[in-house]
Amino acid sequence: LGDYLESEGWEIFYLIGGSKLKLEENGEIYNIKISSPLVGNLFKRIKSIWELKISFVKSLMLIKKLRVDLILAGGSYASFPAICASIVVKTPFYLLEQNVLPGLVTKIFSPYAKAVFTGFEATKNYLKGNIVHTGNPIRKKALLKIDKIEAKRKLGIPDYKKMVLVVGGSMGAYSVVNAIIPLIEELNDFYFIIQTGKKNFGYFSDKMGVKGKNHMLISFIEDMGLYYSAADIVISRAGASAVTEIAYHSLPAILIPYPHSRDRHQYYNAKVLADCGMAIIVEEESDMPDRIKTAIKNFEALRKEHKECKIYKPDCLQIIREVIEKNGTFQKG
């Protein structure tokens, strides 16, 4: 979204709750140190409240210093101080909610936002205010679609093998990859490409080798469109972006929602594809490897039965820009 708005002549500043952000284009990055006050022991919660106060002051100073015209905020707790600061100085703010089930910050501030842009239609049932369903944007490198056989040949995958793409987000998913390992030799008709995440790549490459007869390990996949094009089935967590990309490529999926979030929001994202017949939801439990194996073996039935799930809107970025420009809440840089 930031890259697109910059290409339209906007001046963009990023305020993030951490130190890691990779930008495809230009943009100034400012960091705030913040953690959720809703988790951890008493000491951590007190520390989090103190960080919130400091982050609020820093956000307030940045809004004034940079002469910010509007705030576009995600629904995580990291956006809380910036939203509070924008209210104090009467700077308009908009909310971006990618998940079906909105976060606490989005729920609190949605009645006061100029608009809330949602990735899923069902999100409006949980919110008040001006709700605009835009769909979730897809990163440029995931939009590519090419012929499946051509994509497999580019990746060195035999034409006669079905390709299983295993992704767990940028950090990988240790438990998911562990569940896949015993299946690789057993399911000889399939070739597994597994994104381990940079943190886990060394461990898994030592354990099973970077490349074998039926598998290839990758720490992080940049050209996602190429890998989606080659895939016959995807095994993934159910983050909003992953669900949107899988639907865009119309791929059968085995979705394993992250089990440790407070509100199980990934389950509700996964259910969107499951309700379309595109996905099977597998909970992270003791029988997970067996359930994954059964789903892979039956993927042809899933592929034939699933309906197209149109949750991606090609003009989602334009919709966001047009709503903001219609409100007249900014001047281009």
Side-chain angles (χ1 to χ4, degrees):
L1 175 59
D3 295 339
Y4 167 74
L5 294 177
E6 278 194 317
S7 72
E8 291 293 313
W10 295 34
E11 187 177 11
I12 305 296
F13 303 99
Y14 297 89
L15 181 62
I16 62 172
S19 58
K20 295 181 180 179
L21 180 66
K22 183 177 180 180
L23 302 177
E24 293 186 22
E25 305 292 343
N26 297 318
E28 290 188 48
I29 303 172
Y30 297 88
N31 301 299
I32 54 174
K33 187 176 181 181
I34 188 169
S35 55
S36 174
L38 302 177
V39 296
N41 56 35
L42 180 61
F43 173 77
K44 287 184 177 179
R45 294 188 180 204
I46 293 173
K47 182 183 176 184
S48 296
I49 293 171
W50 178 249
E51 288 175 349
L52 275 173
K53 291 180 179 179
I54 295 174
S55 297
F56 167 75
V57 173
K58 185 172 182 178
S59 299
L60 199 64
M61 293 172 65
L62 282 171
I63 291 172
K64 290 181 177 180
K65 176 185 175 183
L66 301 173
R67 301 176 68 182
V68 171
D69 292 305
L70 64 94
I71 304 286
L72 273 167
S76 71
Y77 62 84
S79 63
F80 183 82
I83 295 172
C84 290
S86 72
I87 292 173
V88 170
V89 296
K90 297 183 179 180
T91 298
F93 70 92
Y94 295 79
L95 295 173
L96 303 165
E97 182 52 65
Q98 288 188 294
N99 297 297
V100 172
L101 195 65
L104 181 60
V105 170
T106 303
K107 288 180 180 178
I108 292 172
F109 290 108
S110 65
Y112 313 104
K114 296 288 287 185
V116 183
F117 303 114
T118 66
F120 295 93
E121 182 72 34
T123 309
K124 66 183 180 183
N125 299 323
Y126 303 96
L127 299 172
K128 297 178 181 179
N130 180 22
I131 313 302
V132 182
H133 173 52
T134 61
N136 285 316
I138 291 179
R139 48 193 164 154
K140 293 177 184 177
K141 291 184 178 180
L143 286 169
L144 174 71
K145 286 183 179 180
I146 64 173
D147 177 73
K148 190 175 295 295
I149 293 176
E150 180 187 349
K152 284 184 176 180
R153 287 176 179 170
K154 283 187 175 184
L155 296 175
I157 302 170
D159 295 349
Y160 59 88
K161 291 213 178 220
K162 302 296 183 184
M163 197 270 260
V164 181
L165 178 62
V166 183
V167 291
S170 59
M171 298 300 291
Y174 179 86
S175 57
V176 174
V177 178
N178 258 333
I180 297 296
I181 290 174
L183 307 180
I184 291 175
E185 292 303 319
E186 186 176 347
L187 300 174
N188 279 309
D189 293 336
F190 296 87
Y191 191 91
F192 293 78
I193 290 186
I194 304 171
Q195 178 183 270
T196 63
K198 293 179 181 179
K199 180 181 177 182
N200 299 321
F201 181 76
Y203 170 80
F204 285 115
S205 59
D206 288 343
K207 187 172 184 177
M208 56 192 296
V210 174
K211 194 170 184 179
K213 183 179 69 172
N214 293 333
H215 81 274
M216 181 193 306
L217 301 183
I218 301 175
S219 62
F220 181 72
I221 298 173
E222 290 281 355
D223 299 322
M224 280 303 304
L226 174 62
Y227 286 81
Y228 280 132
S229 295
D232 292 285
I233 186 169
V234 178
I235 300 175
S236 175
R237 291 295 194 195
S241 294
V243 167
T244 304
E245 290 173 3
I246 290 167
Y248 169 74
H249 285 273
S250 195
L251 288 167
I254 300 168
L255 298 178
I256 306 167
Y258 181 67
H260 304 300
S261 59
R262 288 174 58 87
D263 54 10
R264 297 186 72 229
H265 67 272
Q266 286 202 4
Y267 172 82
Y268 293 93
N269 295 343
K271 195 171 183 299
V272 173
L273 294 193
D275 288 346
C276 290
M278 280 188 68
I280 294 173
I281 300 175
V282 175
E283 298 284 4
E284 194 167 312
E285 297 171 348
S286 58
D287 64 344
M288 181 168 67
D290 289 334
R291 293 193 64 196
I292 291 174
K293 180 173 72 173
T294 300
I296 292 174
K297 285 182 174 180
N298 296 328
F299 98 95
E300 284 286 359
L302 183 65
R303 182 177 63 83
K304 290 176 182 177
E305 292 174 9
H306 86 263
K307 299 177 290 184
E308 190 174 6
C309 200
K310 294 183 178 180
I311 60 175
Y312 172 65
K313 293 188 174 185
D315 59 347
C316 59
L317 299 178
Q318 292 94 319
I319 294 172
I320 293 172
R321 175 179 58 81
E322 288 169 3
V323 168
I324 295 172
E325 290 180 346
K326 186 177 180 180
N327 284 332
T329 49
F330 84 112
Q331 297 292 325
K332 287 186 179 180

